[in-house]
Amino acid sequence: MKVGYARVSSIDGSQETGLDTQVEILKRHGVERIFSESQSGTSRDKRLQLKECLEFMREGDEFTFTRVDRVCRNSLDLQLLVKDLCDRGITLTATEQPISTKDATSKCFLDMLGVFAELETNLRRERQLEGIQRAKEKGVYKGGKKKINVEQIKLLKSEGQGATAIARQVGCHRDSVYRLLKQEA
């Protein structure tokens, strides 16, 4: 069975069409089951659809995706994924890159693309850090995400305050208050 995976980093206008495009490409290549999600590719930890996809596949299946960077953003992650799937008798194929694990040449190219995906991630991180440093030098850097005091939220809620009032006092969006209270429940 051909099992596909599609991913974009986030849902905005351009990203959503990117996800739709990937799904269409996978369908054109005969993929029977497609898992898709909007999640950062730098880590596999939060990518629940990828995890489900990998658990779904069985020996003889073909894991299909459009490009390597949709699945892995560093070479170690890619190598571990390839080893795991090959050990389970599952082949990998990219539709938009001449790679697969069906022959030695394609496997070599797969390895090189994994290195380039990692390089791209590292370069992006370097550019981001350079931008933060320039912003600090100009005095316009506001810092990272604000940390929310969950204990304070729980205390205010126990005092009978609503989410909007709590959000104003803590300095966050009320959706964050709802989310944190739900997690604590």
Side-chain angles (χ1 to χ4, degrees):
M1 172 182 228
K2 282 190 173 186
V3 179
Y5 177 73
R7 180 193 64 80
V8 292
S9 295
S10 63
I11 290 290
D12 63 21
S14 63
Q15 292 285 314
E16 190 167 339
T17 58
L19 191 60
D20 294 342
T21 301
Q22 289 177 55
V23 169
E24 281 303 311
I25 291 169
L26 292 171
K27 286 179 181 177
R28 280 198 311 264
H29 281 83
V31 174
E32 301 164 60
R33 175 76 194 268
I34 299 172
F35 295 82
S36 63
E37 63 190 333
S38 300
Q39 193 64 252
S40 171
T42 55
S43 169
R44 284 178 31 187
D45 296 341
K46 296 180 182 176
R47 294 165 58 197
L48 302 178
Q49 286 296 300
L50 177 60
K51 182 179 180 187
E52 189 176 328
C53 176
L54 297 174
E55 290 172 357
F56 175 82
M57 289 184 286
R58 302 291 177 250
E59 184 175 352
D61 286 348
E62 181 178 337
F63 180 43
T64 308
F65 44 89
T66 57
R67 295 184 323 270
V68 172
D69 67 344
R70 300 298 85 205
V71 178
C72 297
R73 297 296 285 180
N74 69 64
S75 55
L76 176 61
D77 201 22
L78 178 62
Q79 291 300 317
L80 293 173
L81 177 71
V82 169
K83 180 174 180 357
D84 174 56
L85 293 180
C86 288
D87 288 351
R88 292 171 44 201
I90 300 167
T91 58
L92 286 84
T93 303
T95 62
E96 306 304 300
Q97 296 167 323
I99 58 170
S100 73
T101 55
K102 296 177 183 177
D103 63 77
T105 305
S106 295
K107 171 75 171 69
C108 176
F109 194 61
L110 174 67
D111 294 342
M112 288 189 303
L113 285 174
V115 170
F116 291 132
E118 184 173 358
L119 173 65
E120 180 182 341
T121 298
N122 292 338
L123 290 173
R124 186 180 329 105
R125 185 177 305 116
E126 286 176 7
R127 287 191 303 267
Q128 181 181 20
L129 292 174
E130 288 169 359
I132 290 171
Q133 185 60 38
R134 282 193 304 274
K136 283 180 178 179
E137 290 167 1
K138 291 180 181 178
V140 295
Y141 183 69
K142 304 249 190 281
K145 288 185 178 179
K146 188 175 183 179
K147 302 291 185 230
I148 300 172
N149 185 336
V150 179
E151 294 304 317
Q152 184 182 7
I153 289 175
K154 291 192 309 190
L155 176 66
L156 294 170
K157 181 65 177 172
S158 71
E159 293 173 356
Q161 294 193 36
T164 303
I166 294 171
R168 283 191 197 117
Q169 286 186 38
V170 177
C172 68
H173 195 276
R174 73 180 185 162
D175 290 348
S176 298
V177 173
Y178 286 124
R179 185 178 59 251
L180 290 167
L181 290 172
K182 183 178 178 184
Q183 287 174 352
E184 293 295 316

